[in-house]
Structure formats: C-alpha cells, structure tokens
Amino acid sequence: MTRRVRVVDSHTGGEPTRVVVSGGPDLGTGPVSQKLDRFRSEYDTFRSAVVNEPRGNDAIVGALLCEPSDPSCDAGVIFFNNVGYLGMCGHGTIGLMVTLAHLGRIRGGVCRLETPPGIVDAHLLDDGRVTIRNVASYRSAVHVPVEAPGIGRVYGDIAWGGNWFFLCSGHGQELALDRLDELTDFAWRIRQGLTAHGITGSDGGEIDHIELFGHPTAPGADSKNFVLCPGKAYDRSPCGTGTSAKLACLYADGKLRPGETWRQESIVGSVFEGTVSVVNGKVYPEITGSAYVNADAELILDDRDPFCYGIRTAGALVTPAVLPTGTS
Ligand code: PYC
C-alpha cells in the first residue's frame, strides 16, 4: 500500500518545520491534548515516517494540523520530533504561520491555535514576521544543583515555556558554532544528571530541553543560547519555548518589565525578539521571528520500503508498522 502525504517545509532562524497539510491520521474528536494521546498511542509510525531519516532528519519538527475543540480557535496543532512529541513549539508556530500564508489560507492577522498545553495566538505581521503569544510561562525552581556525570555540579533554573527547560549560565562553555559536539555532550550530561537524580518540572514533567546561555555576538542581542532538544538535536533557532522560559525567569528576577524587549540570539546567529505581558499574575511571553518556506512536497509512504517508517534512533518505535487511515 502506498500513501501520499503533502507537506510544506520552512525554517525559522535556521530550525526546520514540516507541516503536514494532508494525508495525516484522523485523530477523531476532543481536545487537542486528547488527540495527542491518540497520535502517540496509535499513529507513532506516522510521526517517525514524516520526520526521521531517510525522509527527514533529527532537527526537523513536524506539525500536524487538526480540528480544535475550543470554538474560539481557528485550528489545532500537534508538534512532534525525532523521538516523540512537544508541548508547544515557538519556531514551529512561526513556521506554521508562513506556511498557511504560502498556502493562501491566511493573508495576515491573528490565528488562534489550540495546542496540547493551551491556546496560542499567532500574528502574521505586515512585514512577514510572526509574533506568537505563548502559553503562560513560569519559573518553578531557582539555582538548582545537578550532578552531571563527567562534569560535576552545575546550577540552573527550571522553567516552563510550553516545554520544560533547565536554564544554565556560568557553565564555562564557549557558545560557538564550531563547538557543537562539545556543547551537545555537555548539555546531554546535564540531562542525564537531571534524569538520574529525579529532577523534574513542578508538575512532574520531564525536563527534556537544556538551555545554555552566553554572551551575544549578533548586533543588538542581549544573550546567545544553545538549546539541546529531547532527541539530542540542537535548536538552530533561539527556541521559542526556551526564550519564553528565559523571559519568565528574567521577569521573576525583576530584570525584564512588561513591554521591554529581550533579543535572544541562537547558536547559529538568528535572533528572536521577546517581551512579556502579565495578566492576573500570569506571565505571557510574546516572541517575534521570521520563517521562510523552502519546500512544498509530497511524501510517499510505500509499505514495501523497509525504511518507510523511518530509521529507529534514540526513541525506538513502539507501535507496529501500520499506515494510518488518513484524511487527504
Ligand atoms: O521553538 O519552541 C521552539 C522549539 C522547541 C524545540 C525546537 N524548537
């Protein structure tokens, strides 16, 4: 059996997003968080087929559009990667907006999106940039010590920005693009330390993103980061949810007031602008960035292909290799 899946690829500050436009699984009805459970338990092979090699690579974040359950929303979206599923994805939401413009589905203005952790407003600006108002973000713990194997004790804050982050400054690492292997190894050891010592987010969620901060090099930037994603790929963008987590920490420390701009540079030199608004004591980060569409294609899922569902990497496939009964 062969299935065809239409996708549109884009990159946001260098970080790729692949939006599934048609041919994806039918996830039924209910809130997007429930659809995510169905996606994970019944159609994980589809996730792997779309983003993993040989069609994709470890850096690609997939986005599956679905019906929202909240009547105030225009669409629902579930983000996924090489090893599983994300809560929210900032660069992916910016990529989704330019993809919808490319498809002629929006011309500008605001789209309200239902994501598993909550509602996100995304605004396609006149100059082509996109501003997202993320889910409420917060710091849950300050200056937490972690014993990282082979490194020793490192300290960092734990914050939620739609995913859980460990945010670490003063680590002694130079953040430079020619040090990707060293930075990946360093951040991965912190991740292992968090897991080994049972350190989680305040809701018990796994801290699966590690964010290292250093001095900026881009003109006008306030800080540079290196973000290690759950499947060991580094984020080429400054990471929308990671920047949200950073903004929540800055606000909590009294270092960023509502409406002030923070410019976060990525390890490849791309920059997001961030600010916060505070409503009923909750901090809502707003992130602005640019994305570009770079492919409009059809994936072919041919059952006879031994690697039809992707090459198994860190997060081995758990579901049998069945094709979803899809919408197209
Ligand atoms: O931009 O939020 C983000 C993100 C998460 C993982 C990769 N990018």
Side-chain angles (χ1 to χ4, degrees):
M1 187 165 64
T2 296
R3 290 191 73 87
R4 289 171 183 268
V5 179
R6 185 173 173 204
V7 296
V8 174
D9 287 357
S10 61
H11 79 87
T12 308
E15 179 75 351
T17 305
R18 175 166 285 173
V19 177
V20 175
V21 176
S22 62
D26 178 358
L27 299 177
T29 56
V32 169
S33 53
Q34 214 169 297
K35 291 189 166 100
L36 165 59
D37 292 342
R38 209 167 292 138
F39 195 176
R40 183 186 275 122
S41 61
E42 293 175 34
Y43 301 112
D44 197 55
T45 45
F46 182 81
R47 171 193 64 75
S48 177
V50 170
V51 292
N52 278 339
E53 293 181 21
R55 283 183 206 85
N57 60 59
D58 284 355
I60 293 186
V61 169
L64 182 68
L65 285 167
C66 56
E67 279 299 313
S69 67
D70 186 313
S72 74
C73 290
D74 301 296
V77 59
I78 298 171
F79 293 106
F80 51 100
N81 64 14
N82 55 336
V83 292
Y85 301 84
L86 291 162
M88 228 303 280
C89 181
H91 93 268
T93 305
I94 295 171
L96 172 61
M97 289 298 281
V98 301
T99 293
L100 294 175
H102 164 81
L103 293 169
R105 295 193 187 173
I106 56 170
R107 284 210 174 76
V110 178
C111 264
R112 213 165 150 74
L113 301 167
E114 184 179 332
T115 75
I119 291 172
V120 173
D121 288 329
H123 190 174
L124 179 60
L125 307 175
D126 291 342
D127 62 7
R129 295 186 305 157
V130 175
T131 296
I132 61 166
R133 183 182 190 262
N134 197 3
V135 295
S137 300
Y138 58 95
R139 178 166 67 184
S140 66
V142 189
H143 204 57
V144 178
V146 180
E147 296 298 335
I151 297 177
R153 185 170 298 178
V154 291
Y155 292 88
D157 290 357
I158 296 171
W160 172 257
N163 297 295
W164 280 110
F165 287 82
F166 186 79
L167 301 96
C168 186
S169 304
H171 40 66
Q173 294 290 310
E174 187 201 346
L175 300 193
L177 200 49
D178 61 2
R179 298 196 67 250
L180 288 176
D181 287 349
E182 291 90 336
L183 293 170
T184 299
D185 179 68
F186 186 85
W188 193 251
R189 288 172 189 275
I190 295 177
R191 171 109 187 257
Q192 287 174 318
L194 290 166
T195 307
H197 295 95
I199 301 170
T200 64
S202 52
D203 61 358
E206 186 181 2
I207 302 167
D208 55 6
H209 290 75
I210 309 298
E211 191 167 7
L212 308 178
F213 292 93
H215 296 298
T217 41
D222 294 295
S223 159
K224 186 189 241 187
N225 68 12
F226 171 84
V227 181
L228 194 65
C229 297
K232 222 177 179 177
Y234 74 94
D235 195 333
R236 279 73 172 158
S237 85
C239 192
T241 50
T243 301
S244 298
K246 175 69 176 174
L247 297 177
C249 294
L250 288 166
Y251 176 78
D253 285 333
K255 292 182 178 164
L256 185 76
R257 286 190 298 251
E260 276 180 353
T261 301
W262 177 265
R263 290 183 181 81
Q264 185 63 57
E265 179 187 356
S266 75
I267 189 71
V268 308
S270 49
V271 176
F272 283 167
E273 284 184 6
T275 184
V276 296
S277 58
V278 181
V279 181
N280 296 332
K282 290 189 173 173
V283 177
Y284 292 89
E286 290 184 15
I287 307 289
T288 301
S290 306
Y292 297 89
V293 168
N294 51 18
D296 186 337
E298 205 167 53
L299 306 181
I300 297 173
L301 276 59
D302 180 347
D303 237 356
R304 295 167 303 177
D305 172 359
F307 295 112
C308 176
Y309 304 100
I311 296 172
R312 291 162 193 245
T313 52
L317 296 181
V318 289
T319 48
V322 288
L323 283 167
T325 50
T327 53
S328 46

